Amino acid sequence: MSQSVILAADDFFAPLKATGIWKVIGDALVETLQMVAISGIATVLIGTVFGVLLWASSRGGILPKWLDVFVKVVLSWVIVNILRSIPYAILMLTLIPFTRILVGTSLGPMAASVSLTIGTVPFFARLVESALREVDRGKLDAASVMGSSRFQLVSKVALPEARPAMVAAITTTVVTLVGYSAMAGLIGGGGLGRLAYNYGYQRFELSIMLVVLVIMVVLVQLIQFLGDRLTRVVDHR
């Protein structure tokens, strides 16, 4: 009985002893990190601008009338709400032609970053909007009375006051990107998702699938840990 268990264990872990397999796993991890890093930076930059505009166009906002209407109609309803309603698996397939036009290919981490960014910007923009809504309105009114411009209200009051919630929003978004990157890998993005599909699903080498799952769990936990620590550092309340 014990001998059969040992043989079964040897068969299970045999794929991990194949020549070059750990280099393949390492390369897949690097591709996943590239996708998450590129799309994460783009999402934070674009999503922050969108989130600020959404917040500034809310009731009692600080936008001029003409821009307020544009943000509410085009940005809020057409871009953010519609994109948030589309499942990411469908969105990334729909964006393949656009990705080819934008980066010249639909394969690789750079191409996958296009759909990852477009898919997560609306999500992050709403998180930024919610974070800014938590800022004490009295502080904004006081700064406005003292002559602060619209830009100063955002850059000197709203964003600094919302910093802990913003860091938490970034952490949540990056964790989401890790999960999305696995799906993006299935259509040519590479990374751990593609590795799990090729070896775990097509070849039934479940030990490699297990390694991929462990790496993904560790990666998410590390991101969450660093995000929580940074949130506490920037929270001076």
Side-chain angles (χ1 to χ4, degrees), residues 16-62:
L16 296 176
K17 301 176 183 178
T19 303
I21 187 60
W22 288 102
K23 182 180 185 303
V24 172
I25 294 173
D27 291 343
L29 175 59
V30 170
E31 289 179 349
T32 292
L33 294 176
Q34 287 176 339
M35 283 188 280
V36 173
I38 295 171
S39 58
I41 293 172
T43 296
V44 170
L45 293 177
I46 300 172
T48 298
V49 174
F50 283 8
V52 168
L53 290 174
L54 290 171
W55 166 77
S57 68
S58 59
R59 181 176 296 181
I62 59 175

Side-chain angles (χ1 to χ4, degrees), residues 105-136:
T105 179
S106 61
L107 304 176
M110 181 62 72
S113 298
V114 175
S115 63
L116 286 171
T117 301
I118 294 175
T120 52
V121 159
F123 171 73
F124 181 70
R126 287 300 185 190
L127 292 179
V128 171
E129 180 189 12
S130 298
L132 292 173
R133 283 183 176 179
E134 296 177 5
V135 176
D136 186 2

Side-chain angles (χ1 to χ4, degrees), residues 54-103:
L54 290 171
W55 166 77
S57 68
S58 59
R59 181 176 296 181
I62 59 175
L63 288 181
K65 188 65 177 178
W66 66 270
L67 185 56
D68 183 79
V69 174
F70 173 82
V71 170
K72 287 180 178 177
V73 175
V74 177
L75 182 58
S76 181
W77 288 101
V78 177
I79 297 179
V80 174
N81 287 352
I82 290 179
L83 285 179
R84 287 180 68 203
S85 303
I86 303 175
Y88 177 69
I90 297 175
L91 180 65
M92 66 181 181
L93 292 173
T94 306
L95 289 173
I96 288 177
F98 174 72
T99 301
R100 287 200 186 103
I101 295 173
L102 190 63
V103 299

